[in-house]
Amino acid sequence: MAGADGDDSLYPIAVLIDELRNEDVQNDTETQLYSLKMYSIIHIFYNTIYDEDEVLLALAEQLGNFTMLVGGPEYVHCLLPPLESLATVEETVVRDKAVESLRKISQEHSPVDLEVHFEPLVKRLASGDWFTSRTSACGLFSVCYPRVSSTVKAEIRQHFRTLCSDDTPMVRRAAASKLGEFAKVLEPEYVKSDIISLFTALASDEQDSVRLLAVEACVSIATLLPQEDLETLVMPTLRQAAEDKSWRVRYMVADKFSELQKAVGSEITKNDLVPAFQNLLKDCEAEVRAAAANKVKEFCENLPEDNREQIIMTHILPCVKELVSDTNQHVKSALASVIMGLSTILGKDNTIEHLLPLFLAQLKDECPEVRLNIISNLDCVNEVIGIRQLSQSLLPAIVELAEDAKWRVRLAIIEYMPLLAGQLGVEFFDEKLNTLCMAWLIDHVYAIREAATCNLMKLVEKFGAEWAQNTIVPKVLGMANDPNYLHRMTTLFCINALSEACGQEITTKQMLPVVLKMSNDQVANVRFNVAKSLQKIGPVLDSNALQTEVKPVLEKLATDSDMDVKYFAQEAITLQS
Amino acid sequence: WALQILISDSLLAMSSAPTTSPSVDKVDGFSRKSVRKAKQKRSQSSSQFRSQGKPIELTPLPLLKDVPGVEQPELFLKKLQQCCTVFDFMDTLSDLKMKEYKRSTLNELVDYVTVSRGYLTEQAYPEVVKMVSGNIFRTLPPSDSNEFDPEEDEPTLEASWPHLQLVYEFFIRFLESQEFQPSIAKKYIDQKFVLQLLELFDSEDPRERDYLKTVLHRIYGKFLGLRAFIRKQINNIFLRFVYETEHFNGVAELLEILGSIINGFALPLKAEHKQFLVKVLIPLHTVRSLSLFHAQLAYCIVQFLEKDPTLTEPVIRGLLKFWPKTCSQKEVMYLGELEEILDVIEPTQFVKIQEPLFKQISRCVSSPHFQVAERALYYWNNEYIMSLIEENSSVILPIMFSSLYRISKEHWNPAIVALVYNVLKAFMEMNSTLFDELTATYKSDRQREKKKEKEREELWKKLEDLELKRGLRSDGIIPT
């Protein structure tokens, strides 16, 4: 067999090498790598001639899946040299991918191979000259640590320590970001003896970009320590971080607050985190306040139940009240996105007395995003006090959003319409909101018209065909005579969306005649949309209507002078036959 | 500027006025972002972490010129201490009197360090540094919007500038003063000080960055012991900028300083400096906001090449490696920089990189984006480059010929076609035998290329067939 295949087996490799050396790198990296994978010619990568980062990235990723292709776990270490060189590349995405692949294949090493091949690589990277290799090393300690002997473990800890106090901030950042992960694989005694001092040092680094990463590590470290040690080993650092002079660090604390809260437990939460949280809610930088405001609900939810209500009422709610009239709209909208959740925690009476005024104030906020966030979370309040309490203020807010100058705001409110309609009931809807829903159909922005069509469909699903026949179908069909062809097309789009929900009878008797009539429209776009519509509503119609009414019209359209009309008519005919 | 925005806003409002349906767009989505953003109130910001909220009281001191010479150093110190008080400028109404008092005191100090003699006692150094640090070192406030785009958006200005400017002014006069002794100052102006100073270069306020540039330049000039440290930290800032954040406002200013630093490098260049060029300056070309600092960057690169011409090859190869694939504006910048490099290139270096270089230029010349093509074709107006091309026409002409020939027939832009004709004409005059040869073989060359392309496709097809046939059997192949 070897003889017969002899030429063939070398041939693809020759082709590959030739293709790989091709200068036009854009040609199909994907295919190149796919073939590489099949033939696993590692030595080509090893002396890789590429310097194109895109290729290197793909290479770094593929090599992580190569174990079987190089002969299984026994040989997996031969993937290390190319990955090692990729882990020293400048481009961050390439390096990260290489580290990811190294982490993956580290699991496929036997314990012996790990010590003989993998661990020396980690050490080489950790003591590399250029910062890139040292940053890569940071991500590899935790994957080999659990599976090596205690002497090697000691070395690894030493290397990690060194990198935590590296000269370049890039390396310290990498170490800080892996601190939590590394702590998790360490034996408890070393967490206390090693990690805590590193954590403290990184948390007071001169660069705020390093300090803020220590906050993240704080969560993991706190979960690893027994409760009684937290106060002395972690809390001083955390307190300091919550009052750091850099807003980025304080922001990080606010951002991770729920995790921190869970990690340190209820006692410390009560004594330390509540005041810290109050401070963050009152922080002088809006970014920090917004991050903290985002956590209000989660924080309150996770407070110890025994005096949750008291803490919220006396400590948190006063800050929340202030945030409602914050000067910064991001803060207000962050708060608006969670504040409704407090009602379930505080119960009916407190909600009516304390929260309702806040909701109402936010519904009148000048910033549309704030109002939108309140409206989009109505369901939480609905469960507790019912939506009627709000409906008086709700309506003006909805109307205003519906006419907002920014189409994205209008789009967002349309998307909540079905939900609102469900909660407010059909009468309220008919009386107050129906006109709005119809007005959106003639919006200047296509995306709004499209969403309005989709909204009608959902409303019909909710309120039923009879409601549709009485309230919206006549209006939609009336638009078929509009002088503006965009509005006429909207009729067609609505019919496309509504026919199924309305059922055969309405579709055949009311909608179909209108569609057929529009086949004589003078605008070609309308005509080819007629063809499309006929194709769409075909399944809803009975075969008689299809044969006697639809088919002749489509056949006429198929001879239209316009190319597109012809095309879509043809398409509809083929699909229906 | 604000006025202009007002006008354009009202224009917008007018243009949308006639169509008054209930859901009319009050702001049209196609207006420039900067116009739309003008509605935001805050165009000023400041780090607010320091303000205490209570009114500040400073006891007015007599003017320095009003006291006898012997008492002046003492009073100078007192005034420095007073100026350590920092005011909240975001609150425009608070402490108005004291703000004014501090302003006039700072003004007085500026004048005083400029003209007085004998005021700089040893005790004054720590007080000066303390006052300057206390005022300028602060965590910069978060940017106004998350997607602050330096090319599009107006920068947020520092609210406390009325004081800050005078502090900077004072510090520069202090550093430049004839009495200033670096040997004493180095105890206070140390690595930590410099680090904080460098962080301030991220300020959005261009006025502040301008002052910082002068300050850092003076410090670099006077404190020899800090030079290596400053360079290393700038390195770190750039690397972070390129590979981590893509955001740092002061890159242009730092590069400007580096330009003059590079100018002063001793020969032969240290490995550290070469590494800086290859691993930091070249990758800076990849950043999205290149246009904001490209001029300064190109200047630095050229400075390096003038120092050591042997660096030409790695630099040009670096540029070719990072050559923009989709961004035409950047491509034009690269071409501009390349021309600057070619202006100073030594013929021996030129020969080393001419092939890859002209392969790229030939690609640029045939770019469908006429600005790119035009920029590349302008090289032929450069006498020095022309002389280099002429010397090496036997190599360059074959590389360029097919692109030029094709564009002369195909390019959509008549100006480009005209330029290409000139270039072809120049080539013809340079080496008419080769030119004729290439013209004669153009068609057959094209056909050969097409054939080769087809062969390649077939090879791949064949390879895929093989793949199917062999399937997973190839798992067994282990590389040697």
Side-chain angles (χ1 to χ4, degrees):
Chain A
M1 193 185 81
D5 273 6
D7 280 340
D8 266 4
S9 64
L10 287 179
Y11 171 71
I13 296 178
V15 174
L16 274 174
I17 296 176
D18 203 39
E19 286 290 291
L20 286 169
R21 298 246 157 92
N22 195 310
E23 278 175 14
D24 185 9
V25 189
Q26 276 145 324
N27 89 55
D28 217 349
T29 315
E30 197 86 2
T31 336
Q32 290 183 9
L33 284 160
Y34 179 58
S35 321
L36 282 175
K37 187 171 166 176
M38 298 309 282
Y39 296 97
S40 50
I41 336 168
I42 305 285
H43 59 278
I44 302 185
F45 317 143
Y46 193 48
N47 311 313
T48 179
I49 45 149
Y50 292 125
D51 47 8
E52 195 74 25
D53 289 332
E54 305 269 332
V55 181
L56 295 181
L57 174 67
L59 199 57
E61 186 177 2
Q62 291 290 325
L63 283 176
N65 307 322
F66 256 48
T67 312
M68 286 322 289
L69 298 169
V70 294
E74 262 180 278
Y75 299 99
V76 66
H77 59 83
C78 72
L79 294 172
L80 295 179
L83 279 171
E84 180 175 353
S85 72
L86 287 170
T88 60
V89 162
E90 263 83 18
E91 181 49 56
T92 325
V93 283
V94 176
R95 222 164 56 220
D96 288 349
K97 214 26 127 194
V99 170
E100 203 183 302
S101 288
L102 278 170
R103 285 168 71 111
K104 203 162 156 190
I105 64 169
S106 74
Q107 302 307 318
E108 282 149 2
H109 282 69
S110 68
V112 177
D113 279 351
L114 204 65
E115 275 193 34
V116 177
H117 299 288
F118 197 87
E119 205 269 340
L121 168 146
V122 178
K123 267 196 249 173
R124 276 196 303 277
L125 287 175
S127 42
D129 282 338
W130 189 240
F131 78 96
T132 51
S133 70
R134 302 202 297 279
T135 51
S136 293
C138 292
L140 297 174
F141 294 123
S142 63
V143 290
C144 53
Y145 189 85
R147 297 175 59 212
V148 292
S149 67
S150 57
T151 25
V152 180
K153 279 184 175 178
E155 282 172 27
I156 291 180
R157 287 196 304 275
Q158 180 53 44
H159 275 294
F160 193 78
R161 251 198 310 274
T162 319
L163 293 185
C164 281
S165 53
D166 196 277
D167 212 23
T168 42
M170 282 77 79
V171 179
R172 294 204 302 280
R173 274 196 288 276
S177 67
K178 300 292 176 194
L179 184 65
E181 178 190 293
F182 188 55
K184 281 186 191 156
V185 299
L186 243 54
E187 296 79 358
E189 68 259 39
Y190 294 121
V191 173
K192 264 198 215 177
S193 65
D194 283 33
I195 294 292
I196 295 297
S197 64
L198 296 176
F199 167 63
T200 321
L202 290 169
S204 44
D205 195 275
E206 62 201 1
Q207 304 240 336
D208 58 0
S209 53
V210 180
R211 294 202 298 278
L212 65 88
L213 290 168
V215 175
E216 257 185 299
C218 187
V219 177
S220 322
I221 294 171
T223 40
L224 294 172
L225 291 172
Q227 189 71 31
E228 64 268 23
D229 289 333
L230 286 177
E231 181 53 48
T232 49
L233 299 179
V234 175
M235 286 316 290
T237 312
L238 182 56
R239 269 184 222 119
Q240 177 196 318
E243 291 172 7
D244 197 282
K245 68 178 186 333
S246 163
W247 61 270
R248 289 184 188 86
V249 179
R250 302 198 304 279
Y251 171 89
M252 200 60 164
V253 174
D255 197 47
K256 299 274 164 220
F257 218 81
S258 309
E259 287 95 323
L260 288 166
Q261 185 185 9
K262 280 181 202 144
V264 298
S266 56
E267 220 26 58
I268 295 182
T269 298
K270 261 189 263 179
N271 300 334
D272 275 280
L273 293 196
V274 172
F277 194 60
Q278 283 175 290
N279 283 338
L280 292 171
L281 288 173
K282 290 188 234 163
D283 197 277
C284 52
E285 289 299 352
E287 260 72 5
V288 181
R289 289 200 303 279
N294 253 322
K295 301 287 164 187
V296 164
K297 182 193 154 205
E298 249 180 287
F299 180 74
C300 293
E301 248 171 10
N302 295 329
L303 285 169
E305 277 191 39
D306 47 345
N307 47 4
R308 179 160 75 184
E309 194 178 321
Q310 181 253 329
I311 294 177
I312 298 176
M313 298 303 294
T314 51
H315 298 292
I316 307 298
L317 204 59
C319 304
V320 169
K321 277 183 185 157
E322 270 176 52
L323 290 182
V324 168
S325 47
D326 199 277
T327 48
N328 184 291
Q329 63 173 42
H330 299 294
V331 177
K332 286 187 292 188
S333 81
L335 181 69
S337 65
V338 297
I339 190 174
M340 311 290 271
L342 290 179
S343 47
T344 18
I345 305 172
L346 288 175
K348 190 171 178 184
D349 295 337
N350 279 327
T351 302
I352 293 179
E353 191 182 340
H354 298 285
L355 294 177
L356 197 56
L358 303 182
F359 299 160
L360 296 177
Q362 292 214 296
L363 269 179
K364 294 190 189 101
D365 198 276
E366 55 175 11
C367 164
E369 216 178 308
V370 175
R371 283 174 267 147
L372 205 60
N373 281 345
I374 290 288
I375 291 175
S376 60
N377 287 299
L378 279 176
D379 45 338
C380 317
V381 193
N382 198 17
E383 287 161 23
V384 184
I385 57 168
I387 210 161
R388 291 278 158 187
Q389 295 264 12
L390 280 171
S391 56
Q392 280 312 311
S393 322
L394 211 47
L395 195 66
I398 294 174
V399 172
E400 213 175 309
L401 288 170
E403 292 168 1
D404 197 276
K406 296 196 182 68
W407 67 268
R408 283 172 212 277
V409 174
R410 301 202 296 276
L411 185 65
I413 189 75
I414 294 176
E415 275 159 11
Y416 291 118
M417 266 302 151
L419 187 77
L420 283 170
Q423 281 167 6
L424 293 166
V426 68
E427 283 159 46
F428 188 90
F429 182 86
D430 278 346
E431 194 182 322
K432 317 274 188 190
L433 300 177
N434 196 8
T435 11
L436 280 180
C437 291
M438 301 315 291
W440 280 322
L441 288 175
I442 50 167
D443 198 279
H444 286 213
V445 178
Y446 175 73
I448 299 295
R449 297 198 299 273
E450 193 189 23
T453 331
C454 180
N455 172 45
L456 286 187
M457 182 181 74
K458 286 184 187 152
L459 289 173
V460 174
E461 280 167 4
K462 203 154 242 150
F463 294 149
E466 201 185 322
W467 174 81
Q469 192 172 9
N470 295 329
T471 47
I472 57 171
V473 171
K475 288 188 197 166
V476 166
L477 296 182
M479 280 163 59
N481 301 319
D482 198 286
N484 185 336
Y485 85 99
L486 290 171
H487 297 174
R488 298 203 293 278
M489 293 216 300
T490 308
T491 300
L492 291 172
F493 297 145
C494 285
I495 289 173
N496 294 348
L498 293 177
S499 62
E500 203 175 320
C502 286
Q504 198 182 53
E505 170 143 4
I506 302 178
T507 310
T508 318
K509 293 220 172 110
Q510 299 188 8
M511 295 177 173
L512 184 60
V514 176
V515 179
L516 295 175
K517 203 178 132 213
M518 288 168 86
S519 67
N520 298 319
D521 201 288
Q522 53 189 351
V523 179
N525 292 39
V526 177
R527 293 201 302 277
F528 77 63
N529 271 297
V530 166
K532 280 175 157 183
S533 284
L534 288 174
Q535 181 191 330
K536 262 257 165 55
I537 63 173
V540 187
L541 301 170
D542 61 59
S543 55
N544 183 34
L546 277 177
Q547 280 305 322
T548 58
E549 298 183 70
V550 175
K551 211 175 163 203
V553 170
L554 281 177
E555 275 163 2
K556 197 186 85 194
L557 288 173
T559 60
D560 199 279
S561 58
D562 186 274
M563 216 170 66
D564 294 322
V565 179
K566 262 192 229 169
Y567 171 82
F568 285 109
Q570 293 285 6
E571 195 183 63
I573 291 171
T574 2
L575 272 164
Q576 270 168 17
S577 59
Chain B
W1 174 79
L3 190 69
Q4 220 181 342
I5 295 309
L6 275 178
I7 293 169
S8 51
D9 250 2
S10 61
L11 276 178
L12 271 177
M14 269 158 59
S15 66
S16 59
T19 48
T20 40
S21 69
S23 57
V24 75
D25 258 345
K26 282 170 210 151
V27 176
D28 110 58
F30 299 101
S31 63
R32 279 168 64 88
K33 197 174 155 204
S34 51
V35 176
R36 277 180 282 131
K37 282 192 56 147
K39 298 213 159 157
Q40 288 187 2
K41 278 174 240 157
R42 197 170 77 153
S43 61
Q44 281 203 330
S45 84
S46 191
S47 173
Q48 295 163 51
F49 199 56
R50 303 176 294 185
S51 55
Q52 302 306 317
K54 10 178 214 242
I56 296 166
E57 221 29 77
L58 297 175
T59 332
L61 297 168
L63 292 179
L64 282 158
K65 65 175 164 54
D66 294 344
V67 300
V70 278
E71 290 172 28
Q72 280 184 6
E74 179 73 32
L75 186 59
F76 178 63
L77 291 186
K78 276 194 187 152
K79 295 209 170 211
L80 283 173
Q81 280 153 8
Q82 275 195 334
C83 287
C84 289
T85 319
V86 176
F87 292 89
D88 178 8
F89 273 81
M90 289 308 278
D91 184 350
T92 44
L93 297 174
S94 70
D95 305 309
L96 283 177
K97 234 176 166 175
M98 287 301 121
K99 279 179 188 164
E100 174 52 28
Y101 171 68
K102 179 173 168 184
R103 200 192 59 77
S104 64
T105 310
L106 282 168
N107 253 328
E108 191 194 0
L109 291 176
V110 172
D111 292 341
Y112 186 69
V113 287
T114 320
V115 295
S116 306
R117 292 283 169 269
Y119 72 96
L120 257 185
T121 59
E122 213 158 304
Q123 298 100 298
Y125 285 86
E127 294 300 328
V128 168
V129 174
K130 199 171 134 203
M131 192 278 278
V132 172
S133 317
N135 278 281
I136 66 171
F137 293 157
R138 64 207 191 280
T139 307
L140 295 169
S143 186
D144 223 0
S145 63
N146 290 333
E147 70 266 42
F148 174 70
D149 173 1
E151 284 168 89
E152 232 340 86
D153 300 339
E154 286 294 318
T156 311
L157 299 178
E158 173 58 48
S160 62
W161 192 241
H163 285 175
L164 214 50
Q165 176 181 22
L166 292 169
V167 174
Y168 277 118
E169 193 73 52
F170 167 78
F171 191 42
I172 290 168
R173 304 284 175 96
F174 167 75
L175 291 170
E176 287 172 349
S177 151
Q178 285 180 337
E179 301 196 347
F180 178 77
Q181 292 179 31
S183 55
I184 304 174
K186 74 176 182 201
K187 272 186 270 179
Y188 312 103
I189 299 179
D190 53 5
Q191 295 195 345
K192 192 161 185 265
F193 184 93
V194 169
L195 206 58
Q196 288 173 284
L197 197 70
L198 284 169
E199 272 173 28
L200 289 177
F201 275 84
D202 194 21
S203 169
E204 250 180 62
D205 194 329
R207 302 169 301 182
E208 177 164 23
R209 296 201 304 271
D210 207 47
Y211 271 105
L212 283 165
K213 195 170 67 188
T214 318
V215 170
L216 186 66
H217 201 240
R218 295 293 171 273
I219 293 180
Y220 191 88
K222 292 191 191 274
F223 299 85
L224 303 187
L226 286 172
R227 287 186 177 181
F229 180 79
I230 292 175
R231 288 197 306 268
K232 202 171 81 191
Q233 294 310 322
I234 294 182
N235 242 314
N236 288 341
I237 289 175
F238 285 168
L239 287 169
R240 178 162 190 234
F241 173 63
V242 176
Y243 295 116
E244 291 182 14
T245 58
E246 289 227 346
H247 179 91
F248 193 85
N249 290 313
V251 176
E253 283 81 2
L254 289 175
L255 283 169
E256 213 171 304
I257 299 172
L258 279 167
S260 64
I261 292 179
I262 295 165
N263 214 336
F265 282 161
L267 286 172
L269 289 177
K270 287 192 214 160
E272 173 213 330
H273 301 324
K274 291 186 189 170
Q275 191 183 46
F276 173 68
L277 171 69
V278 176
K279 299 229 173 185
V280 183
L281 288 186
I282 299 288
L284 265 177
H285 287 85
T286 60
V287 176
R288 199 169 40 125
S289 54
L290 177 67
S291 65
L292 293 175
F293 54 85
H294 182 250
Q296 291 83 349
L297 180 58
Y299 178 78
C300 286
I301 301 274
V302 173
Q303 288 296 306
F304 259 115
L305 299 186
E306 290 203 278
K307 283 263 163 194
D308 183 353
T310 61
L311 292 169
T312 314
E313 189 182 348
V315 164
I316 292 186
R317 285 194 187 277
L319 287 177
L320 293 177
K321 174 182 169 186
F322 294 129
W323 201 273
K325 297 213 163 52
T326 52
C327 181
S328 309
Q329 279 158 306
K330 261 177 134 183
E331 229 177 327
V332 174
M333 284 185 253
Y334 273 55
L335 284 166
E337 181 171 348
L338 212 47
E339 182 164 4
E340 281 181 58
I341 294 172
L342 290 174
D343 269 332
V344 299
I345 201 167
E346 286 187 1
T348 48
Q349 298 297 325
F350 181 81
V351 177
K352 288 188 201 163
I353 44 82
Q354 56 181 356
E355 276 187 58
L357 178 63
F358 277 86
K359 275 182 188 158
Q360 182 58 55
I361 293 175
S362 121
R363 252 171 267 158
C364 292
V365 161
S366 41
S367 167
H369 194 303
F370 82 97
Q371 284 175 329
V372 175
E374 185 183 56
R375 188 67 194 82
L377 289 164
Y378 280 163
Y379 282 11
W380 274 263
N381 294 343
N382 183 315
E383 273 177 41
Y384 183 59
I385 298 180
M386 270 302 264
S387 72
L388 290 168
I389 294 177
E390 191 160 5
E391 271 168 51
N392 302 284
S393 62
S394 58
V395 180
I396 294 169
L397 188 46
I399 299 174
M400 295 294 301
F401 185 79
S402 65
S403 299
L404 292 171
Y405 194 83
R406 196 163 39 80
I407 321 157
S408 71
K409 304 252 183 281
E410 286 172 11
H411 205 282
W412 62 271
N413 185 308
I416 298 296
V417 176
L419 279 170
V420 166
Y421 271 122
N422 283 339
V423 172
L424 281 171
K425 205 172 124 226
F427 271 133
M428 201 154 60
E429 283 159 11
M430 245 175 233
N431 195 338
S432 59
T433 15
L434 183 56
F435 191 88
D436 291 343
E437 232 172 77
L438 288 167
T439 325
T441 55
Y442 177 78
K443 264 205 182 129
S444 56
D445 280 351
R446 279 298 72 69
Q447 270 162 359
R448 219 182 13 251
E449 259 171 49
K450 264 188 201 151
K451 210 176 139 209
K452 217 173 135 196
E453 187 61 33
K454 220 174 162 190
E455 275 172 6
R456 262 184 64 200
E457 249 169 55
E458 273 162 18
L459 273 182
W460 275 102
K461 230 183 226 152
K462 210 167 166 190
L463 197 66
E464 271 162 30
D465 291 347
L466 269 177
E467 223 166 68
L468 290 174
K469 223 165 55 184
R470 297 165 71 99
L472 287 168
R473 268 197 293 144
S474 56
D475 276 4
I477 302 175
I478 295 156
T480 44

